[in-house]
Amino acid sequence: MLTKPNDLMEERTVVMKTLDAALIQKCFLAGASNIEAKKEYINDLNVFPVPDGDTGTNMTMTIMSAAREVAALENPTMKELAKAISSGSLRGARGNSGVILSQLLRGFTKVIAEVEEVDVDTLAKAFEKAVESAYRAVMKPKEGAILAVARGGSEIAEKLAKDTEDLVEFADKVLTHMDEVLAHTPELLPVLKEAGVVDSGGEGLVTVLRGAQDALLGKEIDYSAVKPSKASPRMSSDAASDVDIKFGYCTEFIIMLEKDFSQKDEHEFKAYLESIGDSIVCVADDDIVKIHVHTNDPGLAIQKALTYGSLSRMKIDNMREEHNEKLIRDAEKLAAKQKEEEKQQQRKEVGFISVSAGDGLSEIFKGLGVDYVIEGGQTMNPSTEDILSAIDQVNADTIYILPNNGNIILASEQAKELTEDKTVVVIPSKNIPQGIAAVINFMAGSSVEENVEAMTEGMQYVKSGQVTYAVREGCRGRNNRSLR
């Protein structure tokens, strides 16, 4: 939350009273870049109206559609800039949050399009028009969602315009207030409070404005590298699994009007959509109408829309399926996080890995304190990957590997070179007795160098022999048979 002026604000000596089209263009593109960098964080907050984890993506795709048109403009007038933002965001609007964002931008640009330079009075009126346009587009606005945050910004902007001409001070105080409204959203929407998150759409809106503020202050930031300062809250698995998705299909399209679409037609179409679904947004703009609805029968919405013209940019998503996929993703992330935390909690100073064939010998090594035994030996040499997997399983700062076979020493050394987060020491034992002797000679509390010397020296006193099966007969065997 922005609770005090930042360093750049403290260093200012000149009051900024107006913004031209070039600076507003820069601020808009900075806002788009900021939400692009943080869209996954915003996705993780998404529990309303449906917990399908796509608010950040939808808002980003919406504003990026406009950003492409804005970036293509060279030395634009305010009217050209406003048209690119309004048209681009409406045509690219995705999801409930994306359509609402496009309407906030549409209302905002209607005001700035009428001036050559923007001052605090113009900004205050633009905020007011933005909120008015968005509320008019949404059938049943919810307190605690993105519109509540936008309205909070508009209300404080109206008051501040009477007290200051400084655009930087104005922007900072508006954003501070919007942050406070955002922090209060869980008290307005029970589903947010249950999940322990703020509204994702409101967070997305504030993220866009934070990026714009950075450009206003002259910051040069690589937004692709920006990460949230705190871990993203997650909806609990119990809360998420209990969600009842009444209408299963998120349906969006644009109607390319082929006849008049009056205000009466707009009200009638909204009423029809309300009879078959919820989360309805219907926005008419010149020769197109943008539609968003959650319904169990997308075909009905499409058939009705076809009576007004042809359809473009159609998108139908199964929200129940998306919700289930999100639950699986969250469960996998939680399991991985818990596994990592468990590994960190149990981490010890020293661990041992041994290669051994047969249950009896494996039990001997485990009895001597070996943490992980890899199945292998003379006729079954474990790979480097097998040894790396064993290293990953042993949660210790320093790990001693006992290959117990000359053919396995090289793979062990290779695994050592590929390990970055642990110290791996390969004791070159060439058989089982040497491995046992090495473990016995380990001295707890001694340095790695001292233990390598002691364990290696202990192996030198071992004398051993091995009996195995020949894979084929040798010459001596054939000669003996021929003599008989």
Side-chain angles (χ1 to χ4, degrees):
M1 185 179 295
L2 301 172
T3 55
K4 63 179 181 178
N6 57 43
D7 293 340
L8 284 175
M9 289 178 63
E10 290 175 349
E11 293 173 2
R12 289 188 310 122
T13 56
V14 178
V15 173
M16 187 183 297
K17 293 185 178 182
T18 60
L19 305 174
D20 59 14
L23 185 50
I24 290 181
Q25 180 184 36
K26 185 177 180 181
C27 288
F28 179 77
L29 293 175
S33 297
N34 202 31
I35 194 171
E36 165 67 31
K38 300 179 181 179
K39 63 184 176 185
E40 291 305 327
Y41 172 74
I42 297 166
N43 281 340
D44 286 337
L45 300 175
N46 179 204
V47 298
F48 175 82
V50 178
D52 50 1
D54 63 358
T55 294
T57 299
N58 287 339
M59 294 184 77
T60 298
M61 294 187 74
T62 298
I63 201 168
M64 281 300 174
S65 176
R68 284 190 290 271
E69 295 191 25
V70 170
L73 296 174
E74 293 185 10
N75 302 317
T77 65
M78 198 72 78
K79 187 165 290 187
E80 290 170 340
L81 180 62
K83 177 65 176 176
I85 294 173
S86 177
S87 176
S89 60
L90 180 60
R91 290 177 181 274
R94 283 174 57 102
N96 211 36
S97 55
V99 176
I100 293 173
L101 177 60
S102 74
Q103 286 310 292
L104 289 168
L105 292 172
R106 182 183 179 216
F108 185 90
T109 55
K110 277 186 177 180
V111 174
I112 68 170
E114 302 301 319
V115 299
E116 293 299 321
E117 291 189 326
V118 171
D119 57 15
V120 291
D121 288 326
T122 306
L123 274 183
K125 292 174 184 175
F127 268 98
E128 182 182 7
K129 190 66 175 178
V131 173
E132 178 188 319
S133 297
Y135 266 93
R136 189 167 59 243
V138 179
M139 286 289 291
K140 294 180 179 179
K142 281 281 186 180
E143 288 302 314
I146 181 174
L147 289 176
V149 179
R151 190 181 69 236
S154 174
E155 290 172 350
I156 194 67
E158 183 182 6
K159 296 176 182 177
L160 288 170
K162 300 173 184 177
D163 300 330
T164 182
E165 294 181 331
D166 186 351
L167 283 162
V168 175
E169 179 186 358
F170 175 88
D172 182 60
K173 289 184 177 179
V174 168
L175 255 176
T176 298
H177 184 72
M178 291 179 73
D179 260 330
E180 292 168 355
V181 175
L182 178 63
H184 188 61
T185 54
E187 302 303 319
L188 301 176
L189 266 178
V191 66
L192 299 179
K193 191 169 187 178
E194 182 182 2
V197 298
V198 295
D199 178 64
S200 56
E203 178 71 35
L205 177 60
V206 171
T207 298
V208 170
L209 294 178
R210 284 195 190 108
Q213 184 193 37
D214 287 343
L216 183 67
L217 295 172
K219 291 185 180 180
E220 294 294 335
I221 297 176
D222 178 8
Y223 288 113
S224 64
V226 174
K227 295 182 180 178
S229 59
K230 57 184 179 180
S232 56
R234 302 274 182 177
M235 187 178 190
S236 69
S237 57
D238 290 341
S241 60
D242 289 341
V243 170
D244 178 23
I245 299 178
K246 184 179 179 181
F247 297 104
Y249 296 96
C250 177
T251 306
E252 295 180 77
F253 50 80
I254 289 177
I255 306 174
M256 313 297 290
L257 292 173
E258 296 173 357
K259 62 180 184 180
D260 290 339
F261 192 77
S262 64
Q263 197 167 38
K264 180 182 177 183
D265 292 325
E266 183 177 343
H267 287 312
E268 288 178 352
F269 196 18
K270 285 182 178 178
Y272 176 75
L273 293 175
E274 190 174 17
S275 71
I276 63 170
D278 64 8
S279 292
I280 296 155
V281 182
C282 173
V283 183
D285 184 40
D286 297 333
D287 57 348
I288 66 171
V289 181
K290 177 70 179 183
I291 299 296
H292 174 279
V293 60
H294 292 174
T295 179
N296 284 327
D297 194 338
L300 294 176
I302 290 170
Q303 289 172 21
K304 182 70 173 178
L306 285 170
T307 63
Y308 296 100
S310 59
L311 305 186
S312 173
R313 303 198 185 186
M314 301 175 66
K315 184 176 78 71
I316 300 173
D317 292 326
N318 186 329
M319 294 188 297
R320 294 187 179 95
E321 185 177 280
E322 288 180 339
H323 174 57
N324 290 336
E325 289 174 354
K326 183 178 185 295
L327 290 180
I328 293 171
R329 289 196 304 270
D330 287 350
E332 289 174 344
K333 289 178 182 178
L334 181 61
K337 182 180 178 182
Q338 290 175 338
K339 182 178 179 182
E340 184 60 30
E341 288 175 350
E342 185 177 317
K343 285 173 66 176
Q344 292 301 323
Q345 289 171 358
Q346 296 174 353
R347 198 172 182 96
K348 55 184 183 178
E349 289 186 13
V350 177
F352 294 89
I353 295 172
S354 174
V355 179
S356 177
D359 293 340
L361 292 174
S362 296
E363 286 302 318
I364 290 174
F365 279 109
K366 289 177 181 177
L368 292 171
V370 171
D371 300 275
Y372 194 98
V373 177
I374 304 172
E375 282 291 323
Q378 181 62 36
T379 58
M380 186 176 66
N381 297 159
S383 66
T384 299
E385 185 176 355
D386 293 332
I387 299 170
L388 283 170
S389 177
I391 292 171
D392 186 57
Q393 295 297 316
V394 178
N395 191 22
D397 294 323
T398 302
I399 299 174
Y400 293 86
I401 298 180
L402 306 166
N404 299 335
N405 189 287
N407 290 336
I408 304 174
I409 293 175
L410 188 58
S412 300
E413 291 286 356
Q414 192 160 297
K416 169 186 174 180
E417 295 300 321
L418 294 172
T419 302
E420 298 179 351
D421 60 336
K422 300 170 183 176
T423 299
V424 176
V425 181
V426 179
I427 303 298
S429 55
K430 296 183 178 179
N431 52 53
I432 296 295
Q434 284 189 351
I436 293 173
V439 176
I440 291 174
N441 280 276
F442 174 79
M443 300 178 293
S446 297
S447 67
V448 171
E449 292 77 13
E450 290 171 333
N451 271 311
V452 169
E453 183 179 349
M455 295 168 79
T456 304
E457 184 179 352
M459 294 191 308
Q460 306 308 315
Y461 297 103
V462 174
K463 304 296 180 183
S464 62
Q466 292 176 299
V467 178
T468 187
Y469 289 99
V471 295
R472 60 173 178 260
E473 293 180 346
C475 293
R476 184 180 300 277
R478 289 200 298 273
N479 291 336
N480 287 341
R481 285 200 303 272
S482 65
L483 291 172
R484 283 199 296 265

